[in-house]
Amino acid sequence: MPEWLQKNENYMPREDKDTFINKSILSFLALIARIKAQDKKEDRFQANAFFRVLFTLMLVVFVSVSRTFSFIYLVIAYLLLLLCFMPGREIAKILRTGLVMTLFTAIILLPTVFYGNTYSIFIIPVKVLVSIIAVNILSYATRWDQITIALKRFHVPDLMIFILDITLKYIVMLGEFSVEMLYALRLRSVGKNAGKYNALSGVAGTLFLKSRDMAEDMYAAMECRGFTGEYRICQKFRFGLADAAYLLINAGIIYIFIRLY
Amino acid sequence: MHIPDNYLSPATCAVLGAAMVPVLGVSIKKVKEEISKAKLPQLGIGAAFSFLTMMFNVPLPGGTTGHAVGGTLIAILLGPYSACLAVSVALLIQALMFGDGGILAFGANAFNMAFVLPFVGYFVYKFIRDRVQSEKGEIIGAAVGSYFGINVAALCAAIEFGLQPLLFKGADGQPLYCPYPLSVSIPAMLIPHLLVAGVVELLFTVFIYAFIRKVSPGMIYEGAKKKSKAVYGLIVALICLTPLGLLATGTAWGEWGMDEIQEVITGGSALNYTPSGMANGFSFSALMPDYSVSGLPDAVGYIASAVVGVALVIIIFKIIAAFKKDAAAKTKA
């Protein structure tokens, strides 16, 4: 046995601030988890995605335009009611995003009190909260392929839907790929990592090159299967009890908005 | 830089959204011309890439981290038109599926980050690359381009914020949306971007660009082979800024009215006097004073002015293009 193998060594890696790798891994994983959670989603008792997208947009516009607090208050009541039907974990996530943004807005607006501004300091954070909750209810409660179908019904061009579809799928694929690279980077970064930027640019650069390869592979796959980028909706447009209830509620919101405006 | 809903008025969002329609239309047309159908999936995957670049945390001095937008990098790698589409899609997914950045504000966000940022960044890069034809030139181009791109985009966002209190007030005179005037919003947006976010963007762009250039140089977007004229870049920069200049009712940065100039903040202290040359100068407010049309509410006049402005720009460009075609035909003949 060579001599150097028998020697006792006490190697202590030098401390280094490598949080950027861990933080990157975490943000990638959170993103992938968010998209993957979509697959497991069952269709709950809910209205057609077409109506949900349409009326969520309407609600956001109304809230933004509205100048009376009573209307916003009613919308808050309605949204809280919707939240009641969602799983607790999702409610927590939706409320957390909304409240963080609201707090941020309130802090930003705080100095305007000195300008004698009492309207915006109160109403704008509330409006921000309401809009974020409304959009997040849509995004958490609706499967994204349903949103794509809704977009097709709105006559969004096929090219746009096609790009949207690929983007979502490849965020997951490329995201998993980069997480693996980041793990590899972390395993190899023992002690002081002097070339932080080189390491990171290697990961991001390889990601770009990989994305190019994947695009070519995908086109080949499309060609083999005869897909020309044209979308057809195979699902029939059904109008059920949930749709009727949803339409009724939203008709009520429109009426109240007009009355109070 | 993702603007949430309710910071900007719906009218502002509508105007900026309308401004994005022709931009996206031209981009789709250009992309279809530039890349064959074989490369169409590249657009979606490019969008996924641009979405993911925002996930990378870049180490900053002092052990903290920040993340880049990567708009200029994507414009350099894929070309500005593809970048415009890719970033727009990424923003749409963020707004619609992740609830990140406003739905109404999508037009404004797309204008700043999918149009202004990649185009300004790319054309600054191209301008430098064409003049300093070496590896150094390309790297410097990427550095300056990315720094400029993100800061001009931040300036646009600041102008959009700063216009709100001027344009949209309630009956009691209180602002309905973002209450800060330009004198506050511009330094508030630009100082952090000039000092921190711009530097992060620059480092991120340069390092990744250098890596890809070394490993696989053929992958980088070539663009037009001929040297771009300085004028061309300037015109593009102007197109980027024109709608904003038009929206600014009198108080875009550098367009202060006589009564406003003394409140302009330079180096932290207000100017407090009106330069005499300006006080007695020639006044130009004949046609559409402050872009508001009398007899109409401010917002309507403002949208109309914007439409007139954008239409004029398009008309002028169509005429220029027609003359250029004639000239080209003449030189051929």
Side-chain angles (χ1 to χ4, degrees):
Chain A
M1 218 189 277
E3 203 187 326
W4 60 269
L5 255 178
Q6 296 171 349
K7 248 193 273 173
N8 242 346
E9 259 183 297
N10 215 347
Y11 173 65
M12 286 291 284
R14 274 167 62 200
E15 285 276 330
D16 189 16
K17 284 175 180 161
D18 259 346
T19 40
F20 77 99
I21 302 180
N22 289 331
K23 274 195 179 172
S24 300
I25 290 177
L26 282 179
S27 40
F28 274 107
L29 286 180
L31 176 70
I32 297 168
R34 176 86 170 81
I35 299 180
K36 282 204 161 170
Q38 288 288 314
D39 295 340
K40 293 182 197 134
K41 200 153 279 176
E42 295 154 33
D43 271 330
R44 296 177 207 143
F45 176 73
Q46 61 182 23
N48 198 299
F50 175 75
F51 291 132
R52 299 166 63 85
V53 173
L54 185 71
F55 286 116
T56 304
L57 276 175
M58 182 198 78
L59 200 67
V60 171
V61 174
F62 279 1
V63 166
S64 182
V65 171
S66 164
R67 290 182 194 179
T68 51
F69 182 67
S70 28
F71 175 73
I72 293 167
Y73 188 71
L74 287 174
V75 173
I76 291 177
Y78 165 65
L79 289 177
L80 288 181
L81 196 70
L82 284 184
L83 273 181
C84 290
F85 293 102
M86 301 183 74
R89 200 179 279 267
E90 288 181 3
I91 298 179
K93 278 183 190 158
I94 292 173
L95 285 182
R96 197 177 59 197
T97 335
L99 288 174
V100 166
M101 236 9 249
T102 309
L103 197 70
F104 177 74
T105 310
I107 292 171
I108 286 186
L109 293 181
L110 207 57
T112 55
V113 175
F114 301 115
Y115 291 90
N117 205 331
T118 45
Y119 174 81
S120 46
I121 178 76
F122 173 67
I123 209 99
I124 291 179
V126 173
K127 281 183 169 185
V128 167
L129 179 69
V130 172
S131 308
I132 289 177
I133 289 180
V135 175
N136 272 307
I137 287 179
L138 174 75
S139 110
Y140 272 96
T142 319
R143 272 196 5 230
W144 291 348
D145 53 337
Q146 296 293 319
I147 295 186
T148 322
I149 293 176
L151 289 180
K152 174 75 187 171
R153 286 200 209 280
F154 284 125
H155 297 285
V156 171
D158 276 350
L159 181 71
M160 208 65 190
I161 296 179
F162 174 63
I163 294 177
L164 215 73
D165 234 14
I166 299 180
T167 308
L168 276 172
K169 290 199 178 81
Y170 278 80
I171 286 174
V172 174
M173 294 187 66
L174 289 172
E176 281 171 345
F177 185 72
S178 18
V179 167
E180 276 169 26
M181 281 195 289
L182 286 167
Y183 278 142
L185 174 62
R186 195 170 66 179
L187 287 174
R188 285 163 179 77
S189 309
V190 180
K192 199 100 182 159
N193 179 358
K196 280 192 183 110
Y197 273 98
N198 282 332
L200 194 71
S201 61
V203 174
T206 311
L207 186 66
F208 171 72
L209 297 177
K210 180 76 182 168
S211 77
R212 277 306 183 76
D213 287 347
M214 279 180 157
E216 273 164 32
D217 292 349
M218 184 178 168
Y219 180 69
M222 272 170 62
E223 216 168 30
C224 289
R225 288 162 180 78
F227 177 66
T228 53
E230 193 181 309
Y231 278 75
R232 258 165 293 160
I233 305 177
C234 298
Q235 212 174 44
K236 272 202 186 131
F237 196 88
R238 271 175 310 200
F239 192 88
L241 198 62
D243 298 292
Y246 192 69
L247 281 186
L248 210 66
I249 294 171
N250 279 288
I253 292 176
I254 296 173
Y255 176 74
I256 294 168
F257 176 76
I258 293 169
R259 275 298 299 275
L260 287 179
Y261 189 69
Chain B
M1 218 191 297
H2 288 64
I3 303 173
D5 278 330
N6 293 306
Y7 278 56
L8 301 177
S9 71
T12 314
C13 296
V15 170
L16 291 167
M20 274 314 280
V21 172
V23 171
L24 288 176
V26 169
S27 294
I28 288 177
K29 215 178 120 201
K30 278 275 179 187
V31 166
K32 275 188 175 165
E33 277 169 19
E34 274 175 6
I35 58 178
S36 58
K37 211 174 178 186
K39 286 184 177 168
L40 269 185
Q42 203 177 295
L43 275 182
I45 294 172
F49 175 71
S50 91
F51 196 105
L52 290 173
T53 50
M54 286 185 233
M55 298 288 131
F56 283 106
N57 285 274
V58 181
L60 290 175
T64 53
T65 60
H67 76 89
V69 180
T72 308
L73 178 70
I74 291 157
I76 293 172
L77 294 176
L78 300 175
Y81 300 102
S82 302
C84 178
L85 291 181
V87 179
S88 298
V89 171
L91 288 173
L92 184 68
I93 289 179
Q94 278 175 335
L96 203 59
M97 315 264 186
F98 288 89
D100 186 11
I103 284 193
L104 289 183
F106 169 71
N109 283 324
F111 186 88
N112 301 336
M113 283 185 280
F115 174 47
V116 174
L117 202 169
F119 275 89
V120 169
Y122 179 77
F123 281 102
V124 170
Y125 156 80
K126 188 164 162 48
F127 181 80
I128 295 175
R129 188 192 70 180
D130 288 346
R131 267 148 200 83
V132 191
Q133 279 172 341
S134 65
E135 190 188 335
K136 227 179 221 168
E138 288 178 21
I139 303 274
I140 292 172
V144 179
S146 57
Y147 188 74
F148 252 80
I150 195 165
N151 279 302
V152 175
L155 178 67
C156 289
I159 293 173
E160 287 151 28
F161 283 138
L163 287 179
Q164 301 307 311
L166 290 169
L167 298 173
F168 305 98
K169 284 188 186 126
D172 52 353
Q174 297 223 351
L176 294 173
Y177 300 95
C178 174
Y180 294 109
L182 288 163
S183 56
V184 178
S185 70
I186 289 178
M189 280 296 283
L190 273 191
I191 290 169
H193 277 91
L194 285 169
L195 294 180
V196 185
V199 179
V200 172
E201 185 83 1
L202 185 150
L203 291 173
F204 188 77
T205 307
V206 165
F207 274 85
I208 293 172
Y209 178 75
F211 175 86
I212 292 170
R213 205 184 171 283
K214 201 169 76 188
V215 177
S216 180
M219 286 289 191
I220 292 168
Y221 176 79
E222 281 290 316
K225 281 279 184 295
K226 61 179 181 220
K227 203 170 169 181
S228 71
K229 287 179 188 139
V231 181
Y232 188 55
L234 189 70
I235 290 173
V236 171
L238 279 178
I239 302 175
C240 297
L241 293 171
T242 314
L244 284 168
L246 283 164
L247 301 190
T249 48
T251 325
W253 198 87
E255 291 181 24
W256 305 282
M258 234 49 80
D259 45 339
E260 286 152 350
I261 193 87
Q262 30 182 325
E263 284 152 30
V264 171
I265 293 176
T266 2
S269 60
L271 202 52
N272 269 332
Y273 67 93
T274 311
S276 59
M278 292 179 86
N280 310 318
F282 178 70
S283 174
F284 234 132
S285 56
L287 261 173
M288 281 175 134
D290 275 358
Y291 303 107
S292 65
V293 184
S294 58
L296 284 176
D298 265 5
V300 178
Y302 150 69
I303 294 174
S305 307
V307 170
V308 168
V310 172
L312 276 178
V313 171
I314 293 171
I315 289 168
I316 289 168
F317 272 84
K318 282 210 156 170
I319 293 172
I320 292 175
F323 274 108
K324 262 198 161 176
K325 257 187 204 161
D326 286 352
K330 256 183 205 168
T331 48
K332 261 187 195 166

